[in-house]
Amino acid sequence: MTATNGGPTGTRQDTVAAVVRQWQAVHPDLDTAPIEIIGRINRCAALLQQAEDAPLRRAGLSRPEFDLLGALRRTGQELTPSELARETFSSGAAVTKRLKMLTERGLVERRGDSRDRRVAHLRLTDAGRELVDGTLPEQLAYETAVLSGLDPKGQHELASLLGELLAQLEGRLGALRV
């Protein structure tokens, strides 16, 4: 479906459609189509972050903390802080801060490396594993509810398109690093 402004916004107008209309009024010669995608991705991300995942909040976790615990759980092995930073797309400093809190809560434990004392190996404690395993189904149900306004076909199409975009962006960033 298209909205009244001709863009692919569904049946309701959103804030990005208004932004596009404003830019088109000021600069009718500019192609504002990228705003319809990038603007909506950014707006969705901001709204999802503001919503604070209810199941995680009840478990006393932030999304970034849960991401660290989830990385340790899903990989099924000990990880170093650097590996966790890569797994969760976080900075080393942010991982260090979160790990300190998770360790103090008894959810993660550190083990020193026998060859290099500067390296720490991290793993979930039993309490950490139980928290992740207990929270994940509820979190997935919450995320399903968030997406419930889209039919299954629309969700699949969106996931596919976002996957294509992500792979393209990751490839570009990887090429820039080399």
Side-chain angles (χ1 to χ4, degrees):
M1 284 190 205
T2 59
T4 56
N5 71 342
T9 60
T11 57
R12 288 190 262 183
Q13 293 293 310
D14 59 43
T15 56
V16 173
V19 167
V20 167
R21 279 194 310 277
Q22 291 167 340
W23 278 120
Q24 287 172 343
V26 175
H27 286 292
D29 54 320
L30 290 179
D31 179 9
T32 56
I35 295 172
E36 294 195 46
I37 297 170
I38 304 297
R40 285 190 176 98
I41 290 171
N42 288 335
R43 181 79 174 138
C44 286
L47 289 170
L48 288 168
Q49 286 178 342
Q50 285 177 8
E52 289 276 333
D53 301 307
L56 300 183
R57 192 174 56 245
R58 281 193 293 279
L61 295 170
S62 66
R63 168 60 78 162
E65 290 169 337
F66 186 73
D67 288 346
L68 287 178
L69 296 173
L72 288 167
R73 182 66 173 122
R74 73 175 186 270
T75 61
Q77 61 187 17
E78 291 183 349
L79 297 173
T80 65
S82 300
E83 291 167 334
L84 270 174
R86 279 191 301 275
E87 282 287 325
T88 60
F89 308 104
S90 301
S91 71
V95 167
T96 299
K97 181 180 175 183
R98 291 176 194 131
L99 284 172
K100 183 179 187 295
M101 294 174 66
L102 294 170
T103 301
E104 288 172 359
R105 288 182 60 189
L107 302 173
V108 174
E109 60 188 16
R110 295 174 166 267
R111 180 183 62 78
D113 190 286
S114 59
R115 291 173 285 174
D116 187 347
R117 288 189 293 176
R118 297 171 295 173
V119 176
H121 297 275
L122 304 153
R123 68 176 172 228
L124 289 178
T125 62
D126 289 342
R129 189 175 304 102
E130 288 173 17
L131 182 62
V132 171
D133 290 350
T135 305
L136 184 59
E138 189 179 355
Q139 180 63 23
L140 290 172
Y142 173 80
E143 291 175 2
T144 297
V146 167
L147 296 172
S148 66
L150 298 173
D151 64 40
K153 182 180 177 197
Q155 289 182 35
H156 179 74
E157 289 172 2
L158 180 58
S160 179
L161 289 170
L162 288 172
E164 287 179 37
L165 178 61
L166 182 58
Q168 189 178 73
L169 290 172
E170 288 175 338
R172 284 185 187 161
L173 292 176
L176 292 174
R177 287 186 203 139
V178 173

